[in-house]
């Protein structure tokens, strides 16, 4: 029986399903989290063999002791994972310290977490990258902007999501950023690319080959959603485009990805861009060595009539999966921001789209910055029907 430690199994709230499928595959599933056991969902409790509560997952010594306790009780740990961007570095440190070899180690972190260090791995497989500059002083930034022009995008070189990411449109914006940027946080500045985000989402086996593949599209910028307090939309594609598939598989090989659920983001150009390519071309954005965030795993299941929680757990148990993949459709996420004067009420939306609806709920506060406040997740057989849904639910007076 394999011993698997799952870090923070209670958040996001849907991640208990990873634990359930591990346990269904005969794994010994050991959870470490900071939520009291009696507050855990019953479904999660039933998916764990044992749970160790720490005062804070931020406290490495506490988490280290929890892992040591499980080793003393159950023996060697075969896997340690959180599937969470926030804990990727923590996971790698724990694997390195306890010689758990089934995952990224400390030495791997720079190339999978620092946006500037990702770029050579893209160019090695002929995927174009945006020009960039590592921010040090305003003079260097001005020299870079002289080359690429405004606007430019600045973001933490090692960051999670769109937090502290800004579009600078003029010298005044640049000056304000240089004064207000967080102290001690390395920033990267990139040329602005007029594009939508297309992702490659896959579960990869121990040989670096995909067991399952799909993708999503984010038409509006997460950076703008956060900074403008706007609505949020994205959708799982009915069928993965071949150019996205090819770019994703090449990226898997270049980064040496094995035995992981990955979410790679690419730009698809919305207009010709000098030095990068023609409208429609796929351009590198960044790798994320974990599932796409929030409720996306559930959306993938709805779009492809499958169970990616099981496919991932099968990858760990068997290095393959026979989980069925059924009829394909589009799965649309609409996140509506509180305070906007929407034309359609909740009752109106449910009356018209209730048969399409898969999830309707309030979005947890920790995710609301990028995903808004009220979510509707619905499936549609055609892109046209999905677009009609978006036009209806997002229309404001």
């Amino acid at each position: 029986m394999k011993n698997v430690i799952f870090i923070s199994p209670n958040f996001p709230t849907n991640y208990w399903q990873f634990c359930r499928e591990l346990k269904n595959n005969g794994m010994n599933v050991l959870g470490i989290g900071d939520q009291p056991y009696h507050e855990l969902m019953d479904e999660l409790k039933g998916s764990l063999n044992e749970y160790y509560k720490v005062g804070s997952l931020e406290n490495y010594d506490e988490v280290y002791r929890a892992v040591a306790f499980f080793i003393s009780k159950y023996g060697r740990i075969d896997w340690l994972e959180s599937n969470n961007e926030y804990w990727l570095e923590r996971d790698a440190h724990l694997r390195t310290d306890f010689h758990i070899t089934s995952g990224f180690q400390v030495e791997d972190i720079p190339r999978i977490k620092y946006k500037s260090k990702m770029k050579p791995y893209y160019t090695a497989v002929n995927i174009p990258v945006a020009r960039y500059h590592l921010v040090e002083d305003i003079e260097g930034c001005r020299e870079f902007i002289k080359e690429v022009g405004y606007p430019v995008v600045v973001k933490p070189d090692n960051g999670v999501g769109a937090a502290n990411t800004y579009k600078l449109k003029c010298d005044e914006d640049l000056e304000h950023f240089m004064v207000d940027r967080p102290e001690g946080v390395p920033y990267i500045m990139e040329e602005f690319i007029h594009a939508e985000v297309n992702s490659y989402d896959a579960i990869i086996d121990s040989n670096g080959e995909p067991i399952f593949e799909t993708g999503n599209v984010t038409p509006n910028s997460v950076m703008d959603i956060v900074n403008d307090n706007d609505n949020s939309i994205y959708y799982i594609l009915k069928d993965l485009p071949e150019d996205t598939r090819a770019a994703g598989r090449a990226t898997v090989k270049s980064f040496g990805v094995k035995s992981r659920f990955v979410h790679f983001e690419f730009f698809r150009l919305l207009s010709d861009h000098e030095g990068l390519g023609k409208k429609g071309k796929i351009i590198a954005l960044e790798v994320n060595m974990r599932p796409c965030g929030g409720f996306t795993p559930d959306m993938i299941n709805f779009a492809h009539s499958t169970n990616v929680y099981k496919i991932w757990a099968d990858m760990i148990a068997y290095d393959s999966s026979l989980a069925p993949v059924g009829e394909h459709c589009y799965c649309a996420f609409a996140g509506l921001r509180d305070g906007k004067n929407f034309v359609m009420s909740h009752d109106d939306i449910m009356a018209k789209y209730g048969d399409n609806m898969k999830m309707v709920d309030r979005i947890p506060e920790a995710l609301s910055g990028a995903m808004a406040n009220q979510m509707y997740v619905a499936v549609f057989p055609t892109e046209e029907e999905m677009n009609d849904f978006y036009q209806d639910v997002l229309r404001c007076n």
Side-chain angles (χ1 to χ4, degrees):
M1 179 184 292
K2 288 184 178 179
N3 293 319
V4 180
I5 290 179
F6 204 98
I7 305 291
S8 188
N10 56 302
F11 187 86
T13 53
N14 49 328
Y15 274 26
W16 68 269
Q17 296 174 84
F18 285 119
C19 298
R20 175 190 64 194
E21 299 302 338
L22 287 170
K23 192 170 184 181
N24 286 344
N25 281 347
M27 305 290 103
N28 201 32
V29 188
L30 310 169
I32 299 175
D34 54 12
Q35 187 174 11
Y37 182 78
H38 70 273
E39 295 180 5
L40 299 179
M41 297 170 55
D42 289 340
E43 296 91 339
L44 175 56
K45 290 179 182 177
S47 303
L48 298 174
N49 293 84
E50 188 166 350
Y51 179 74
Y52 189 113
K53 181 194 174 299
V54 295
S56 171
L57 286 171
E58 300 282 359
N59 187 322
Y60 187 76
D61 288 343
E62 278 194 279
V63 180
Y64 182 97
R65 286 196 295 271
V67 175
F69 169 78
F70 282 145
I71 291 173
S72 68
K73 184 170 181 179
Y74 297 99
R76 183 173 67 87
I77 302 301
D78 299 283
W79 288 81
L80 183 147
E81 191 56 77
S82 67
N83 278 341
N84 191 317
E85 182 77 25
Y86 190 78
W87 302 116
L88 282 185
E89 291 188 56
R90 170 63 51 81
D91 295 346
H93 276 277
L94 289 167
R95 290 191 203 100
T96 300
D97 285 349
F98 287 100
H99 308 291
I100 303 167
T101 59
S102 54
F104 288 118
Q105 306 292 303
V106 169
E107 64 185 21
D108 299 312
I109 288 299
R111 66 187 169 87
I112 67 172
K113 287 289 289 177
Y114 286 83
K115 297 171 178 64
S116 61
K117 296 184 186 299
M118 296 176 188
K119 293 181 182 288
Y121 292 90
Y122 288 117
T123 56
V125 288
N126 300 313
I127 301 174
V129 300
R131 289 173 289 181
Y132 74 100
H133 169 74
L134 291 176
V135 174
E136 293 181 357
D137 53 47
I138 197 166
E139 289 77 16
C141 292
R142 284 177 173 148
E143 283 297 314
F144 176 71
I145 292 167
K146 190 183 298 182
E147 177 188 351
V148 302
Y150 283 111
V152 293
V153 175
V154 288
K155 50 192 173 183
D157 196 19
N158 178 10
V160 178
N164 300 308
T165 298
Y166 310 102
K167 184 194 295 183
L168 309 182
K169 302 176 183 178
C170 59
D171 287 344
E172 185 178 2
D173 288 350
L174 173 63
E175 290 162 5
H176 285 157
F177 165 71
M178 294 302 291
V179 170
D180 298 337
R181 64 185 171 133
E183 189 174 346
V185 177
Y187 262 79
I188 184 173
M189 176 179 287
E190 294 182 327
E191 62 181 318
F192 178 76
I193 297 177
H194 182 48
E196 66 180 13
V197 176
N198 285 217
S199 78
Y200 173 81
D201 298 85
I203 297 171
I204 309 298
D205 70 14
S206 65
N207 296 310
E209 299 297 331
I211 297 173
F212 174 84
E213 298 169 297
T214 186
N216 68 55
V217 172
T218 305
N220 51 355
S221 164
V222 177
M223 172 183 65
D224 292 336
I225 294 166
V226 173
N227 292 333
D228 299 339
N229 207 33
D230 204 354
N231 303 313
S232 169
I233 67 171
Y234 72 101
Y235 55 91
I236 308 299
L237 288 159
K238 185 174 183 177
D239 297 297
L240 182 65
E242 284 306 313
D243 57 354
T244 307
R245 187 190 310 274
R249 289 183 176 184
T251 303
V252 166
K253 296 300 185 185
S254 188
F255 279 83
V257 179
K258 296 180 179 180
S259 304
R260 290 202 72 75
F261 201 145
V262 298
H263 170 64
F264 296 163
E265 294 177 337
F266 299 94
F267 284 130
R268 186 179 294 279
L269 295 181
L270 294 175
S271 59
D272 295 352
H273 191 111
E274 186 177 355
L276 291 179
K278 298 290 186 180
K279 178 181 177 181
K281 187 174 179 61
I282 289 289
I283 306 298
L285 177 51
E286 65 182 56
V287 295
N288 299 280
M289 300 297 180
R290 42 76 181 171
C292 188
F295 302 96
T296 307
D298 302 287
M299 291 174 59
I300 294 172
N301 289 345
F302 301 145
H304 300 299
S305 308
T306 192
N307 183 347
V308 293
Y309 300 104
K310 175 172 174 50
I311 296 172
W312 177 82
D314 287 352
M315 176 271 294
I316 289 179
Y318 316 118
D319 203 27
S320 63
S321 180
L322 296 176
V325 177
E327 184 180 359
H328 293 207
C329 60
Y330 291 91
C331 185
F333 174 95
L336 277 58
R337 186 73 63 180
D338 289 350
K340 293 183 180 291
N341 189 19
F342 294 104
V343 171
M344 292 185 76
S345 68
H346 171 75
D347 289 342
D348 293 336
I349 293 171
M350 295 307 296
K352 185 169 184 179
Y353 292 107
D355 290 343
N356 304 87
M357 211 64 70
K358 292 294 186 179
M359 297 177 75
V360 178
D361 209 343
R362 296 293 291 176
I363 296 171
E365 186 175 345
L367 303 176
S368 63
M371 301 182 74
N373 306 104
Q374 174 68 34
M375 74 169 179
Y376 297 93
V377 172
V379 294
F380 300 94
T382 69
E383 188 173 8
E384 181 181 16
E385 291 170 278
M386 178 180 69
N387 289 337
D388 289 343
F389 163 75
Y390 277 133
Q391 289 180 1
D392 280 345
V393 302
L394 298 175
R395 187 180 296 123
C396 290
N397 287 316

